């Protein structure tokens, strides 16, 4: 059975990265972007249908993620949290 909860190492790394971003570490946000942009772009492209719309959505998603990062509690992985945030934004 696959658990939806992150392992201790992943949870710790995600919480550390989120904390670094919250404290204003720009390189941490770049790290977050590098780790997740491709996956989120692919989701946005599937939902929007065009590359230009997907690029706009991706920019919106990361801006939204930056604004809402304080709501990340580490109950899921940061990637799962971002994917759900992106999915909800695309559906809106």
């Amino acid at each position: 059975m696959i658990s939806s909860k992150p392992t201790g190492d992943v949870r710790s790394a995600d919480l550390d990265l989120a904390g670094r971003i919250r404290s204003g570490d720009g390189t941490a946000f770049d790290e977050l972007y590098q780790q997740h942009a491709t996956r989120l772009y692919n989701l946005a492209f599937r939902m929007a249908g065009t590359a230009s719309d997907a690029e706009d959505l991706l920019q919106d998603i990361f801006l939204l993620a930056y604004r809402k990062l304080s709501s990340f509690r580490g109950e899921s992985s940061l990637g799962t949290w971002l994917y759900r945030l992106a999915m909800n934004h695309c559906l809106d």
Side-chain angles (χ1 to χ4, degrees):
M1 181 159 101
I2 298 173
S3 172
S4 63
K5 293 193 178 225
T7 64
D9 290 342
V10 171
R11 182 172 190 265
S12 178
D14 284 350
L15 289 171
D16 177 61
L17 183 59
R20 288 173 37 220
I21 294 168
R22 287 182 197 127
S23 69
D25 182 345
T27 60
F29 194 78
D30 186 51
E31 186 178 328
L32 176 77
Y33 183 87
Q34 295 299 322
Q35 288 176 9
H36 300 285
T38 300
R39 181 174 179 229
L40 297 179
Y41 173 82
N42 290 336
L43 168 67
F45 185 82
R46 285 191 312 271
M47 299 294 286
T50 68
S52 63
D53 286 343
E55 290 167 5
D56 288 343
L57 280 170
L58 185 65
Q59 183 175 357
D60 291 345
I61 289 163
F62 276 99
L63 183 58
L64 188 61
Y66 185 80
R67 290 179 179 158
K68 292 191 169 217
L69 197 59
S70 63
S71 69
F72 176 68
R73 297 183 309 258
E75 294 172 359
S76 64
S77 72
L78 193 51
T80 299
W81 180 83
L82 281 169
Y83 194 87
R84 175 48 54 193
L85 186 82
M87 178 65 83
N88 289 343
H89 184 69
C90 289
L91 290 172
D92 286 345

